[in-house]
Amino acid sequence: MTGFMGTGKSSVGVKLAQVLGYGYCDLDFSITKRAGKSVNEIFAEDGECRFRDLETELISEMTEIDRQVISTGGGAVIRKENRELLRSIGIVINLVASPEEVFLRIKSDASRPLLKNKMSVETIAEMLQEREPFYADADLRIDTVGKNVEDVVHEITLNLKGMM
Ligand code: S3P
């Protein structure tokens, strides 16, 4: 699962894994476990580059994993290497939401360092635009606006039927 912050990668990922009878892995959670600190702390103490290195390290280790739904962090697709790795691991599903919708979903959540002190529809729109080509590099793109987790999972499973 790829997608911008607040597009529902984790909630959809957990439910999708349940429905498919697959394991589930949250990449950000694995990174914090390995680093022994929160995403905010990694960014503040070690820098974004260190966080991105950990992201690549963890994704590289997933190439042997089978029957798993993996939710990536919103920026995991920035590096070409990561996008290629994700493509080689399996089916890449990208979740989509408008800047306005993302803002409403994450505005009171302080756990995202890249939006710290600049949480606004405008910033989100700019970042989304910059990252659009990376998110577009997916096997399947699902718009999540106006849909609940079950709707999105249902739409994904319908699409996966022809792909697995
Ligand atoms: C990031 C998204 C976050 C987390 C980190 C960086 C990004 O994950 O990996 O704060 O660059 O978009 P979520 O998409 O799960 O919020």
Side-chain angles (χ1 to χ4, degrees), residues 3-6 9 28 39 43 51-52 55 72-75 78 111-114 131 135:
F4 197 76
M5 297 172 259
K9 302 175 297 290
D28 277 348
V39 172
F43 270 71
F51 179 82
R52 299 296 174 206
E55 217 164 34
T72 61
I78 294 172
S111 69
R112 296 179 170 94
L114 292 180
R131 293 179 176 185
Y135 292 134

Side-chain angles (χ1 to χ4, degrees), residues 60-113:
S60 312
E61 290 171 20
M62 283 169 186
T63 50
E64 302 302 318
I65 283 172
D66 202 24
R67 298 171 75 83
Q68 285 263 339
V69 174
I70 304 167
S71 291
T72 61
V77 292
I78 294 172
R79 285 191 183 174
K80 185 165 183 263
E81 183 186 358
N82 294 355
R83 295 198 300 279
E84 288 172 354
L85 278 167
L86 290 171
R87 284 298 202 129
S88 73
I89 293 171
I91 298 169
V92 176
I93 302 166
N94 174 248
L95 297 186
V96 179
S98 62
E100 292 76 15
E101 178 72 18
V102 167
F103 177 75
L104 287 176
R105 290 182 191 172
I106 66 174
K107 63 179 181 202
S108 28
D109 185 343
S111 69
R112 296 179 170 94

